[in-house]
Amino acid sequence: MSSTVYIAGAGVISAIGNNVAEHLTAFEREEAGMGDITMLNTIHKGELPVAEVKLTDAEMVAMTGLTTHNSRTTLLSLVAAKEALADAGIPDLNSLRVGFVSANTVGGMDKSEDFFIDFLADNNKGKLRNVFDHECGSMTEIVADQLGIRDFMTTISTACSSSANAIFYAARLIKNEVLDVVIAGGADALTKFTLNGFNTLMILDKQFCKPFDEHREGLNLGEGAGYLVLVSDKVMRALNKEPYGVISGYNNSNDAYHQTASSPDGTGSYLAMKGALAKAGLQPSDISYINLHGTGTPNNDSAEGTAIKRLFDPHYPPMSSTKSYTGHTLGASGGIEAVFSVLAIRHGIIYPNLRFETQMSELPFAPETEFLSGQNIKNVMSNSFGFGGNCTSLIFSQA
């Protein structure tokens, strides 16, 4: 087995930037991406804030070279995946075993919604074959084809832990010497389906979200994509660059408590974090920073906070929810936040938890509220906890 899995490249697009450099600037300036709905044709315009990527589909078509019939999820995925692959700068890629493990939860739902508005009004206006490729897996296939990846490709869809699980799986493929290089992460676009669904659950905040605050009222939905390029030690040695770090630990646990709610005592969250630490051979005191799942809902933050208290008490590392910048990007969140985690290691930074005011009464800790630079970040834990109790924690470490 390959002993170490390195991070050779990173790419990201979200409401606060179209690439890695723009994200770093937004973090330092504490510029969040939430605002009024501008692109979705929905009755919730002016009522529910979201974190939209600031590029139109047409602008991303021009950037990627894809055709206009492709979904927004595909466009977001290709923008970030291309950046990650270019950043890795791997020569003679075709001589290596290369895979693409990508996650999403909405697939081509945006295009399906557009189709059925017209089709239901007049079924002579379209043919159902025009929506045959809107499932989640088709997004991965299109992007893999554009990247020229032929050796391995798969799609993972486990709700909000989807792209964390994609990275987890990619690391195992390299460790078991199935592949040499894997572009891993995920993408999701805002759709009326997800906006209406989360609104029905009554967990959307009508103001900008404030994760881990005593008076939090819900989440803001976002969109975007984030990918890491994972490589074997053999490939990393051949590159003329320093890695972002290594993926040292990962674990997926499921408490199966409820279809959408986290268990009150955070059992799944606790087991995921504990298992990732064991895999990495680390103690809780070794973690330099936690990128919280931190959606801003009363249930999630209480469950995650309870699990952190159980595992880390009495010494807590700095922690924050970057969803206070990007909103909750659903299936993309684990990939986007994995990028943020390796950037924290490379640049020695800790991100602030925006809009935090009041510490949660049941917790003995509070998130970081200031942008900190010049930090020695050795190990970052990134949490992604999904519906159905599907909880994943990743740990990234200095190489």
Side-chain angles (χ1 to χ4, degrees):
M1 292 179 67
S2 177
S3 58
T4 306
V5 178
Y6 291 90
I7 313 300
V12 64
I13 182 170
S14 80
I16 62 171
N18 301 329
N19 52 51
V20 166
E22 291 180 8
H23 279 77
L24 289 170
T25 299
F27 279 125
E28 189 168 1
R29 294 177 178 174
E30 299 189 8
E31 296 174 346
M34 292 79 166
D36 289 336
I37 298 169
T38 64
M39 299 191 196
L40 278 181
N41 183 18
T42 168
I43 61 174
H44 300 298
K45 277 186 177 180
E47 175 193 354
L48 296 172
V50 295
E52 293 176 321
V53 168
K54 304 307 185 279
L55 296 174
T56 64
D57 287 7
E59 288 171 323
M60 286 192 284
V61 164
M63 289 173 64
T64 61
L66 282 174
T67 57
T68 54
H69 74 268
N70 283 287
S71 74
R72 189 167 174 85
T73 302
T74 302
L75 294 167
L76 292 166
S77 175
L78 186 54
V79 169
K82 286 180 91 170
E83 183 190 13
L85 200 52
D87 181 35
I90 302 171
D92 301 320
L93 193 64
N94 291 336
S95 67
L96 300 170
R97 298 169 299 173
V98 183
F100 186 50
V101 181
S102 187
N104 71 85
T105 65
V106 303
M109 184 65 70
D110 57 329
K111 293 296 185 184
S112 297
E113 290 170 349
D114 293 342
F115 173 86
F116 279 105
I117 288 172
D118 293 333
F119 183 78
L120 291 175
D122 180 0
N123 60 20
N124 290 315
K125 286 192 173 183
K127 301 297 182 184
L128 288 177
R129 64 172 177 266
N130 294 335
V131 291
F132 81 97
D133 62 347
H134 289 186
E135 73 277 6
C136 293
S138 290
M139 312 300 105
T140 306
E141 292 177 15
I142 294 166
V143 176
D145 186 58
Q146 290 293 313
L147 298 176
I149 294 172
R150 302 285 185 271
D151 297 313
F152 184 89
M153 173 199 66
T154 195
T155 305
I156 291 180
S157 191
T158 56
C160 307
S161 59
S162 297
S163 49
N165 284 330
I167 292 169
F168 175 169
Y169 183 49
R172 295 174 65 194
L173 289 170
I174 291 176
K175 272 191 171 291
N176 286 281
E177 299 181 351
V178 176
L179 297 172
D180 305 306
V181 177
V182 186
I183 300 96
D188 255 340
L190 282 165
T191 68
K192 288 184 281 188
F193 175 81
T194 45
L195 188 67
N196 292 338
F198 276 80
N199 193 45
T200 300
L201 291 173
M202 297 184 290
I203 55 175
L204 294 180
D205 196 334
K206 292 187 177 181
Q207 307 299 319
F208 292 178
C209 66
K210 42 187 179 183
F212 272 74
D213 190 278
E214 173 73 7
H215 305 296
R216 65 201 182 279
E217 294 187 4
L219 59 87
N220 304 142
L221 285 175
E223 63 180 356
Y227 290 92
L228 297 177
V229 179
L230 279 57
V231 301
S232 66
D233 47 6
K234 181 181 178 181
V235 172
M236 195 70 237
R237 286 196 302 269
L239 298 180
N240 186 29
K241 65 178 297 184
E242 290 295 317
Y244 284 90
V246 301
I247 179 165
S248 57
Y250 39 80
N251 187 262
N252 173 266
S253 297
N254 196 324
D255 56 24
Y257 172 76
H258 186 268
Q259 295 98 321
T260 58
S262 302
S263 61
D265 56 2
T267 300
S269 311
Y270 170 79
L271 292 173
M273 291 187 289
K274 184 181 179 183
L277 284 168
K279 179 72 175 176
L282 297 173
Q283 298 299 315
S285 58
D286 294 320
I287 298 299
S288 310
Y289 166 65
I290 302 175
N291 186 291
L292 298 163
H293 184 55
T295 62
T297 65
N299 171 252
N300 172 88
D301 293 2
S302 177
E304 185 176 10
T306 299
I308 288 171
K309 179 182 177 181
R310 180 179 173 187
L311 186 60
F312 285 88
D313 190 69
H315 303 295
Y316 301 98
M319 65 188 83
S320 64
S321 170
T322 49
K323 290 182 179 68
S324 62
Y325 281 86
T326 66
H328 190 357
T329 57
L330 305 181
S333 61
I336 289 172
E337 290 162 24
V339 173
F340 297 164
S341 297
V342 300
L343 291 176
I345 292 172
R346 167 165 285 189
H347 298 284
I349 53 179
I350 291 172
Y351 310 106
N353 199 111
L354 299 181
R355 297 176 294 281
F356 177 85
E357 294 178 348
T358 307
Q359 183 172 322
M360 290 169 60
S361 57
E362 71 263 38
L363 299 180
F365 59 85
E368 183 56 56
T369 58
E370 295 182 5
F371 179 87
L372 301 177
S373 59
Q375 308 294 302
N376 182 19
I377 309 296
K378 293 183 178 179
N379 304 291
V380 174
M381 175 179 283
S382 183
N383 289 338
S384 297
F385 304 145
F387 283 170
N390 196 302
C391 299
T392 296
S393 291
L394 305 175
I395 297 177
F396 300 96
S397 301
Q398 289 180 358

